[in-house]
Amino acid sequence: MASWRHDFKRLTPPKNKAILERCAVCGAEEFIPYVCRYCGHVHCVYHRLPENHECPNISQARAPRQPVHLERRQGGTTLRLIRSPRISLMPGREILALSIAWVVLGVSFSMRYMYQPSWWSQPIALFEVFLLTLLIIGTSFLGHELAHKFTAQRYGAWAEFKLWTVGAIMSLVFSVVSQGAFIFAAPGAVYIASRSSYIGDVMDRKTNGIISLVGPVINVAAATISAVIYFGLLAAGVGVKIYGFDPLTQSILINLWLGAFNMIPFFILDGQKVLTWNRAVWAVVTIPLWTATAVAIVLLR
Ligand SMILES: [Zn+2]
Ligand SMILES: [Zn+2]
Ligand SMILES: [Zn+2]
């Protein structure tokens, strides 16, 4: 999408801080605002493209042709035209943010092994445990965040995962200080803005609450599936352990913790938006979830 770039004027930053311009979609104060050459509105870096701010004059902005490439089907003689996937569905900066958050959580959740001297005598085992932890977080954390994103998109909202630097640092610092006992599990968040109109259109509380709830619900589902497999194997007398590391119990613990932590009704955490929408829904999900998490930590850790 680099070919779009020349379409947008970059203004010099205003000297006076009081006249910072605001994005017409999300209201973010922009030090370097982008003015759309088709509608004249000011936007932030995320909403600068006509398709990202429901530009009323989008028809004037001639969309570049989607790149098309030929692909030879395996073993076949037929050539098919295949449209390249739309890059804008998952911009590179979002993949980078998700990857950084993923590794931050991987290190944080592996911290307790790094505090055990026995693990350092077998560095390859420690590395394998770290990779397994990354794998588990890959499903639990990415599942959680992508559930937010895709649900928001289904409601017609613009949604993108962004790194929350303070949260990522807190995740690492808390895990070091607590020797891996406490994980601050919010290194980023999916940011949502309604596409349906300009300033003033705030998504309603119910929509926001549902978008927030699906993340923890994914973790509850993944923990439940892991628990079913775990107890099934236990009943069959089969144990899955790699150097004493049990991926299934870790999947139960990590998923429950990600869900339980994010249901705390505080600041940008999911629990806050669910509570604002409906206290009963929050309580029905959170109280059993916190109980299950406490029980799992006592029994499985
Ligand atoms: Zn914006
Ligand atoms: Zn525009
Ligand atoms: Zn969440």
Side-chain angles (χ1 to χ4, degrees), residues 8 35-43 47-51 53-58 61 198:
F8 300 90
V35 174
C36 176
R37 68 146 60 162
Y38 304 103
C39 68
H41 283 105
V42 169
H43 299 100
H47 296 116
R48 70 186 194 281
L49 299 178
E51 74 267 30
H53 63 258
E54 289 226 332
C55 186
N57 301 325
I58 194 159
Y198 295 131

Side-chain angles (χ1 to χ4, degrees), residues 144-145 148 185 188-190 211-216 219 258 262-263 268-271 273:
H144 177 119
E145 300 301 341
H148 287 317
V190 171
I211 292 170
S212 299
L213 188 60
V214 290
N219 292 129
L258 281 177
N262 281 288
M263 285 310 284
I268 65 159
L269 298 182
D270 300 327
K273 282 161 216 143

Side-chain angles (χ1 to χ4, degrees), residues 74-103:
Q74 264 198 336
T77 46
T78 37
L79 285 167
R80 282 204 315 163
L81 281 170
I82 293 177
R83 273 182 187 279
S84 292
R86 283 193 54 188
I87 306 154
S88 58
L89 284 178
M90 178 77 78
R93 59 169 184 273
E94 184 174 24
I95 294 170
L96 182 70
L98 280 168
S99 309
I100 294 170
W102 184 354
V103 173

